[in-house]
Amino acid sequence: MALPLSLPGAAVVLAGLAALLLVLVVMIAHVTAVKMPTLHRHEEEKFFINAEGLKEAVPSIHDPPTKELSVVVPSYNEEDRLPLMMDEALDYLEKRQKRDPSFTYEVIVVDDGSKDQTTQVAMKYCKKFGSDKVRVLSLVKNRGKGGAVRMGVFISRGKKILMADADGATKFADIEKVEEGLENLQPWPNQMAISCGSRAHLEKDSIAKRSYFRTLLMYGFHFLVWFLCVKEIRDTQCGFKLLTREAALRTFSTLHIERCRLVTYLTQRARVRDTASFSEAEHLTLWAFDVELLYIAQCFRIPIAEVAVNWTEIEGSKLVPFWSWLQMGRDLLFIRLRYMTGAWQLETRKCN
């Protein structure tokens, strides 16, 4: 008859099993790592259609900047919500240019393989404001939000590049706050710096509306992001991020993750309601690409500011919180392990 293990013996067995499990997880993370997505453009993506209906070759982020600001708007099936965002953004940008004629801008709408009239809706703004101010890049196939933003960044002409979601959840005038955050980081090492819009200041109000279980999951997610990837930013998920041209080139040339969780970004037919609560649907879906982007920035020692912005909640499909938490934890761990084991490299590549 086998004798029961002593307490020290059981501890040794458990430690051994934990070590074995860790080795197994590291091996899985390494073996399943997808290499950096191709940065090759399809032939149709090397041109955009101007306001006159003619093809023009896209510029390159490797060229010297010719605008003060580029706004990149990734859009997938956004024919309904895009006009609200574009109206607000262009109204602000036009008024700012009238106040300061030296301020120049462009808005790049990247249609991420939409199945609706997103491109046609965006082209109406191109025709109204001119293709020097509004450009539409239609991707041949869906790349995911990270891939769509990257393709827009790579054809930007701005000294500064702003990522802005097509839902218009962030008030566009808050760009001035984000710009101030960027300026406060000077001097920028190698002209690189990032300023992130943040909804972290809204969490206190949102906690009062959540169950204890969902609040626990939220704090668990924040802890995992802090422990595994991004140390200094409380809200990695806000889609309102401003980068210097040099920082955008360095980070997006290194990015591996292009896709996000398939909930709100791919099924956005949501009703918008004005509220000061934290957008939980967005928080649970658009995370991996943003986290890796900021992780890369920290690895390159690019200074990052976090700036509070106004936010309008997007109501839409929700992921099951518990399983979402497990998926997030797994993917955050895999991001860290893949860079640690060399499965992913901090290398920059040029888009062809």
Side-chain angles (χ1 to χ4, degrees):
M1 182 176 177
L3 295 176
L5 286 174
S6 64
L7 188 59
V12 170
V13 171
L14 289 175
L17 290 175
L20 181 62
L21 179 61
L22 178 60
V23 171
L24 181 62
V25 169
V26 171
M27 290 177 61
I28 292 174
H30 188 88
V31 171
T32 61
V34 177
K35 300 302 180 183
M36 185 182 293
T38 176
L39 301 187
H40 175 72
R41 291 192 186 98
H42 292 278
E43 195 62 32
E44 296 89 336
E45 297 169 353
K46 296 180 181 179
F47 302 89
F48 68 92
I49 305 300
N50 65 22
E52 289 73 39
L54 302 175
K55 285 185 176 181
E56 286 191 26
V58 298
S60 170
I61 194 172
H62 296 280
D63 299 333
T66 58
K67 300 287 183 182
E68 288 297 316
L69 176 69
S70 293
V71 181
V72 177
V73 186
S75 305
Y76 179 80
N77 291 347
E78 291 286 5
E79 64 177 8
D80 293 333
R81 300 194 305 174
L82 185 61
L84 294 174
M85 182 272 169
M86 292 292 285
D87 287 342
E88 181 186 359
L90 288 164
D91 179 67
Y92 167 84
L93 292 167
E94 284 291 292
K95 289 179 178 177
R96 179 167 172 177
Q97 191 172 65
K98 287 180 180 178
R99 294 195 310 266
D100 178 11
S102 66
F103 172 75
T104 54
Y105 74 88
E106 65 175 350
V107 178
I108 302 171
V109 179
V110 183
D111 183 349
D112 192 19
S114 297
K115 299 182 180 1
D116 66 358
Q117 301 297 306
T118 294
T119 288
Q120 290 79 353
V121 169
M123 281 302 299
K124 292 179 180 178
Y125 291 92
C126 176
K127 292 175 181 178
K128 180 178 179 180
F129 293 90
S131 51
D132 188 53
K133 290 185 175 180
V134 179
R135 294 185 168 184
V136 183
L137 178 66
S138 298
L139 302 185
V140 173
K141 64 178 182 179
N142 179 270
R143 290 176 178 258
K145 184 185 178 185
V149 174
R150 177 176 11 217
M151 296 304 286
V153 165
F154 282 171
I155 67 168
S156 296
R157 295 175 290 165
K159 294 179 182 177
K160 299 172 186 175
I161 300 173
L162 176 73
M163 296 163 43
D165 289 337
D167 58 25
T170 305
K171 297 301 180 184
F172 200 85
D174 279 356
I175 186 177
E176 295 181 15
K177 298 178 182 177
V178 180
E179 285 177 316
E180 183 179 358
L182 196 70
E183 294 301 321
N184 289 339
L185 293 173
Q186 289 188 332
W188 303 327
N190 299 315
Q191 293 301 304
M192 293 192 294
I194 300 174
S195 183
C196 301
S198 173
R199 306 156 298 178
H201 62 293
L202 303 176
E203 286 186 2
K204 184 176 181 181
D205 291 334
S206 69
I207 287 172
K209 301 175 184 179
R210 284 202 184 105
S211 67
Y212 289 114
F213 180 62
R214 294 174 75 85
T215 298
L216 179 63
L217 293 178
M218 180 192 72
Y219 281 121
F221 170 75
H222 289 326
F223 173 76
L224 287 176
V225 171
W226 172 85
F227 183 72
L228 294 171
C229 296
V230 182
K231 299 295 184 185
E232 299 174 358
I233 306 299
R234 293 177 61 196
D235 179 15
T236 60
Q237 302 300 288
C238 183
F240 208 65
K241 293 182 174 67
L242 183 68
L243 303 87
T244 63
R245 188 175 184 84
E246 293 77 8
L249 174 59
R250 178 64 64 88
T251 54
F252 279 97
S253 297
T254 309
L255 190 73
H256 291 78
I257 296 174
E258 291 192 325
R259 298 195 173 275
C260 58
R261 292 291 172 198
L262 304 178
V263 181
T264 52
Y265 182 57
L266 296 185
T267 60
Q268 293 189 13
R269 288 292 176 270
R271 178 173 62 87
V272 179
R273 62 184 172 90
D274 292 325
T275 177
S277 64
F278 195 87
S279 179
E280 192 168 32
E282 292 289 306
H283 180 69
L284 290 173
T285 56
L286 305 182
W287 63 274
F289 141 68
D290 296 279
V291 170
E292 192 199 359
L293 185 76
L294 295 176
Y295 177 80
I296 292 168
Q298 288 194 346
C299 289
F300 284 128
R301 300 188 182 279
I302 299 173
I304 307 172
E306 185 173 19
V307 181
V309 295
N310 294 305
W311 186 258
T312 302
E313 182 177 355
I314 308 299
E315 287 190 349
S317 303
K318 302 284 196 299
L319 285 167
V320 179
F322 180 71
W323 294 112
S324 300
W325 186 85
L326 291 180
Q327 290 171 336
M328 288 184 222
R330 178 201 63 192
D331 291 345
L332 287 171
L333 179 61
F334 278 16
I335 289 173
R336 182 63 181 272
L337 290 178
R338 283 166 178 166
Y339 278 107
M340 288 180 61
T341 62
W344 287 354
Q345 300 286 333
L346 288 169
E347 59 183 346
T348 58
R349 295 198 299 169
K350 189 173 182 178
C351 184
N352 298 315

